[in-house]
Amino acid sequence: MPSRVWVVRAGSRGEHEQYNIENDRTTIGWAEVGDIGPYRSKDAIQQMLAPLYPGAPDRRLANYASQLWAFRDRIQVGDLVIMPSKDRRGYIWFGRAVGPYTFDASSPEPERRKFIPVDWAKDPMPRSSFGEDLLRSLGAIQTVFAPTRNNAVRRLETIAAGQPDLHTGGGAPKETLSLTAVPTAPAEQDEEVTDPDPVPTLEVIEDRVQAHVMAEFKEHDLTWLVSEILESHEFVCQVSPPGPDGGVDILAGKGPLGMDAPIVVVEVKSEAGPVDVKVVRGLHSARERHNADQALLVAWGGVNKSAKREISTDSKFRVWDGATLMAELFYAYEDLPPETKRRIPLTQAWVLDEDAIS
């Protein structure tokens, strides 16, 4: 098992994420900095940076140099590379470095010229598969860093192998990842890139709320929470009792009796990992049996690729993954029953979006 795991972000807005996935790369940005391959030490990179950032404090230059040096020298073949997704909120990409640092002078985008070849998994992992403390360790806003706090290396490798993070009680299907670990030497410690302090970004705050809701609302309790959110949208909900439900946890409709269109069949899955195509097909069948207009699948971990393909051809089928469910919860919060708000005690506050200013 590799002893190194690296977070490499794809731009403050995720602008390089899709490019990285499609081209089997992880890129680092810093367009004003050319090829760092010829530099043989972090100090040499820092000296190169000084004229590019006139007036920048030494601490900042040292931090930039540490990240660039880590990308240039310390990320090795076999290391696990993690890219938090901006395109798909609530998900994190896993990959394995398969080659050394490379500079592509022919690239028309200067921010994409410095790269490391990466074998990305075919699907990203839902953030619901990670324990709250692990997500907090991944919450630093640096472009490149090595998480080790909270036994991060072992736990992230466990998730990459398709096993559940023991701190969530959830899991991820083994088909999601097939990344074979390659032994490497112990990581050099550098305070600039090892466990930088996390900051309370919007993403970190949402992770904290989601972890609480996942712990508080398990199985049938989550079904009741979804029904209360739907009722805030003026649906009348009929909730199935615990146990076998024939593919329908909630039957929702409009009008005073809940019998007016649209009639929606809802299936709720509380496990952390993505659900497969069998669940989707079961909900398709349930919609036909109930002569419903629409179908809604609520799943913390979303759906896997085969399930997504099945859904893509059906305009009357929707999925709420963990990120969407949180957005719906925040929207409906003031209209939820007092007992539910007691179990999810939220306080509204304005928070500076660190990602937007980084």
Side-chain angles (χ1 to χ4, degrees):
M1 176 179 291
S3 57
R4 285 179 288 202
V5 174
W6 300 93
V7 174
V8 184
R9 300 190 180 278
S12 60
R13 300 176 303 280
E15 58 268 32
H16 308 301
E17 179 179 331
Q18 196 58 38
Y19 172 86
N20 287 350
I21 296 299
E22 291 176 355
N23 292 276
D24 298 317
R25 297 179 173 186
T26 182
T27 53
I28 196 177
W30 271 285
E32 63 278 15
V33 178
D35 185 9
I36 54 177
Y39 296 91
R40 297 295 180 233
S41 70
K42 183 182 75 173
D43 290 342
I45 291 179
Q46 184 169 343
Q47 291 174 16
M48 175 270 293
L49 292 174
L52 296 178
Y53 299 95
D58 290 343
R59 176 70 176 176
R60 182 184 302 171
L61 293 176
N63 179 269
Y64 289 174
S66 292
Q67 293 183 70
L68 288 163
W69 179 245
F71 194 81
R72 150 71 176 82
D73 185 74
R74 289 177 54 193
I75 300 179
Q76 301 292 314
V77 172
D79 285 356
L80 191 63
V81 179
I82 293 174
M83 179 172 63
S85 178
K86 292 287 188 179
D87 288 345
R88 295 184 62 182
R89 288 295 300 273
Y91 289 84
I92 296 175
W93 287 97
F94 275 57
R96 190 76 64 183
V98 294
Y101 163 82
T102 303
F103 185 74
D104 183 3
S106 66
S107 173
E109 297 287 342
E111 290 188 334
R112 296 174 177 173
R113 291 175 180 170
K114 294 179 283 294
F115 74 91
I116 291 172
V118 172
D119 179 19
W120 293 108
K122 63 180 181 179
D123 287 308
M125 299 294 296
R127 298 177 76 90
S128 55
S129 295
F130 300 71
E132 180 191 345
D133 59 337
L134 190 53
L135 288 171
R136 199 158 47 238
S137 292
L138 303 180
I141 59 174
Q142 282 193 174
T143 301
V144 181
F145 66 92
T148 65
R149 194 179 290 134
N150 300 315
N151 199 20
V153 174
R154 180 179 177 185
R155 291 169 63 188
L156 290 167
E157 284 288 359
T158 297
I159 295 171
Q163 302 300 320
D165 181 3
L166 298 179
H167 288 237
T168 67
K174 291 186 178 182
E175 72 167 21
T176 303
L177 295 168
S178 58
L179 303 174
T180 303
V182 179
T184 62
E188 171 192 350
Q189 293 299 308
D190 187 330
E191 64 177 7
E192 296 286 359
V193 294
T194 303
D195 295 319
D197 291 334
V199 296
T201 62
L202 294 176
E203 195 170 63
V204 170
I205 293 169
E206 289 174 2
D207 286 342
R208 173 71 180 95
V209 177
Q210 179 169 314
H212 174 80
V213 174
M214 289 184 71
E216 186 72 19
F217 292 84
K218 295 181 180 297
E219 299 178 350
H220 205 59
D221 275 359
L222 182 61
T223 300
W224 277 106
L225 177 61
V226 171
S227 74
E228 291 169 355
I229 292 173
L230 290 173
E231 287 169 356
S232 76
H233 291 287
E234 300 183 348
F235 279 94
V236 176
C237 294
Q238 178 182 337
V239 179
S240 299
D245 51 39
V248 176
D249 287 312
I250 303 169
L251 187 62
K254 294 285 188 172
L257 298 179
M259 300 176 66
D260 297 339
I263 302 297
V264 184
V265 290
V266 185
E267 180 75 355
V268 181
K269 295 296 183 182
S270 61
E271 57 263 32
V275 301
D276 62 21
V277 70
K278 293 180 181 178
V279 175
V280 172
R281 290 172 180 168
L283 193 51
H284 275 306
S285 298
R287 185 177 67 183
E288 294 176 359
R289 289 197 309 274
H290 289 272
N291 197 27
D293 303 290
Q294 300 168 358
L296 172 64
L297 173 60
V298 181
W300 276 123
V303 298
N304 64 17
K305 187 168 290 186
S306 59
K308 187 181 295 183
R309 282 196 299 268
E310 186 92 3
I311 295 167
S312 64
T313 60
D314 190 343
S315 63
K316 302 297 185 181
F317 199 113
R318 291 291 183 271
V319 176
W320 286 2
D321 60 10
T324 307
L325 181 56
M326 286 297 95
E328 292 290 340
L329 171 67
F330 295 144
Y331 179 83
Y333 185 75
E334 289 303 323
D335 296 324
L336 296 180
E339 174 61 18
T340 301
K341 289 195 282 188
R342 184 193 65 78
R343 294 175 69 184
I344 313 173
L346 301 182
T347 299
Q348 190 173 32
W350 291 106
V351 178
L352 189 65
D353 187 350
E354 298 288 350
D355 288 340
I357 63 173
S358 61

